[in-house]
């Protein structure tokens, strides 16, 4: 009797142990959640591949479009500050603000005693150089005949080179004042000194601003005016530091007004500043553009669309192919036997038309781009059914 009870207790204990083990195994199995891969049989839902438009992953490389704010400003070498080269008085002004000018066109005149003295030094230096040159030539002929001694020739040559050096120095000073070689040559034949220095434009453009008036005294290096060529601009596009992962020099850009979606000016990124801009707290991409002079204008705010290559392992799919199950982005991948797989993916970035998938897809797979709401509803229905 005792043996019978003992056997029964052993059997009951073994049964309880087996039940516990089975329960533990059930607990350790991965739970099916909305984040797990799932398969939908379209035949059971009254659908087929013919009802769905699929997009082949990796069939075509896509550029990533990224819209950022920008601002136009005058391009380097196309904005000129007109400065006074000498002390003097503004004696004449020939152009007004907003007036177009050509490179080399006279903008104003400065009456200057300093300039008059420099002209005097130039004429005297030229005269002395010609005299010393003639003296040297004559004595070289006499030296060949033994009339002029070697010591006299050395003295004459030294005086000639001194005169030449002095003339070159005066001529260089005139060049720094903006006179051309032709104008300096004409000075050699003048009979009367006119101490009126002509101030010319260094570029083609438009007078943007005057800083002086007629009769105003000025000092050397005072700013007199600015000339801007509005046909050449530098557009600064403001990027976040994260954007540098995808943006590089040479990328194509399209520039439009911030409130305008029409096709704008096409260009490329010329350079990218290596550090954050202190004012905008952004990275700056510099874009040189050639305009019609009417739009955009310096200081105008713009919208810049950057077109960048994406890494090879990143695939572009139409934005319509993405749906969200909770916090997970999913796509619906075609698999054999009229089924689709609900695949969780990681989105690197998105633009108006495409999402760029970093993980979750393989080149050659096909993802659904329509009937997305229906497929998502079927996923939810299966979850509730379970």
């Amino acid at each position: 009797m005792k043996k019978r009870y003992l056997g029964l207790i052993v059997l009951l204990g073994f049964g309880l142990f087996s039940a516990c083990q089975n329960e533990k195994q059930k607990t350790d199995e991965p739970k099916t959640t909305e984040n797990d891969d799932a398969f939908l049989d379209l035949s059971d839902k009254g659908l087929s591949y013919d009802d769905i438009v699929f997009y082949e992953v990796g069939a075509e490389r896509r550029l990533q479009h990224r819209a950022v704010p920008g601002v136009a400003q005058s391009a380097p070498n196309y904005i000129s500050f007109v400065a006074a080269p000498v002390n003097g008085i503004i004696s004449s002004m020939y152009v007004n603000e907003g007036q177009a000018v050509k490179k080399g066109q006279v903008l104003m005149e400065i009456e200057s005693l300093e300039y008059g003295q420099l002209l005097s030094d130039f004429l005297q230096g030229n005269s002395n150089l010609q005299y010393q040159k003639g003296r040297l030539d004559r004595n070289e002929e006499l030296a060949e005949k033994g009339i002029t001694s070697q010591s006299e020739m050395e003295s004459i040559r030294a005086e000639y080179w001194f005169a030449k050096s002095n003339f070159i120095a005066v001529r260089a000073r005139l060049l720094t004042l903006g006179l051309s070689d032709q104008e300096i040559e004409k000075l050699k034949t003048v009979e009367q000194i006119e101490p009126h220095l002509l101030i010319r434009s260094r570029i083609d453009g438009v007078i943007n601003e005057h800083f002086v008036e007629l009769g105003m005294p000025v000092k050397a290096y005072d700013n007199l005016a600015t000339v801007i060529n509005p046909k050449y601009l530098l557009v600064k596009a403001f990027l976040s530091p994260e954007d540098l992962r995808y943006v590089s020099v040479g990328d194509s850009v399209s520039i439009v007004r911030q409130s305008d979606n029409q096709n704008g000016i096409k260009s490329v990124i010329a350079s990218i500043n290596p550090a954050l801009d202190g004012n905008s707290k952004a990275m700056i991409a510099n874009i040189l553009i050639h305009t019609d002079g009417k739009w955009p204008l310096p200081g105008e705010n713009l919208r810049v669309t950057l077109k960048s290559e994406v890494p090879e392992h990143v695939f572009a799919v139409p934005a319509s192919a993405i749906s969200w199950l909770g916090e997970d982005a999913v796509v619906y991948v075609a698999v054999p036997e009229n089924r689709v797989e609900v695949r969780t993916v990681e989105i690197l970035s998105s633009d108006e038309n495409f999402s760029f998938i970093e993980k979750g897809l393989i080149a050659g797979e096909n993802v659904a781009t329509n009937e997305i709401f229906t497929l998502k509803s079927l996923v939810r229905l299966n979850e509730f059914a379970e």
Side-chain angles (χ1 to χ4, degrees), residues 77-113:
N77 298 326
Y78 295 98
I79 178 171
S80 174
F81 292 88
V82 182
V86 294
N87 298 334
I89 295 175
I90 303 298
S91 59
S92 298
M93 299 183 69
Y94 298 107
V95 293
N96 299 315
E97 293 181 355
Q99 184 174 338
V101 296
K102 295 292 186 180
K103 181 179 179 179
Q105 182 176 336
V106 177
L107 307 180
M108 60 189 72
E109 291 184 14
I110 296 179
E111 183 178 314
S112 171
L113 294 177

Side-chain angles (χ1 to χ4, degrees), residues 279-338:
N279 295 324
S280 63
K281 305 301 181 183
M283 304 298 295
I284 303 295
N286 302 298
I287 306 157
L288 295 171
I289 61 173
H290 185 195
T291 76
D292 59 4
K294 298 179 180 179
W295 179 86
L297 298 175
E300 186 170 355
N301 293 322
L302 305 168
R303 182 160 59 90
V304 182
T305 300
L306 312 173
K307 302 175 184 178
S308 307
E309 293 280 355
V310 295
E312 292 185 359
H313 70 281
V314 175
F315 299 107
V317 299
S320 60
I322 305 295
S323 68
W324 293 87
L325 297 177
E327 297 181 353
D328 295 320
V330 300
V331 294
Y332 301 92
V333 183
V335 294
E337 301 178 358
N338 200 40

